[in-house]
Amino acid sequence: MNGLKEIPTYQLVEELKNREAVKTIIVEPYEDFTVNVNGSAVVLIVTD
């Protein structure tokens, strides 16, 4: 699985966005956003 380290982050993000059970929220530059989670979740913050 070391091959994943060779894949650029933006490609990984694009693939995850297309998966079932993945919710994508885009926050524009300088926009504040708060995350509230109730339940089981993994929150990834990817700064591009």
Side-chain angles (χ1 to χ4, degrees):
M1 192 165 256
N2 288 335
L4 289 178
K5 290 182 180 182
E6 304 300 320
I7 301 173
T9 301
Y10 78 92
Q11 287 181 341
L12 295 170
V13 170
E14 287 301 316
E15 177 61 31
L16 286 171
K17 284 168 44 176
N18 293 319
R19 298 291 179 102
E20 188 175 332
V22 174
K23 180 177 181 179
T24 301
I25 300 170
I26 298 173
V27 180
E28 298 298 329
Y30 307 107
E31 179 182 353
D32 292 329
F33 186 79
T34 302
V35 177
N36 294 308
V37 178
N38 181 8
S40 178
V42 175
V43 178
L44 303 174
I45 298 174
V46 180
T47 306
D48 185 8

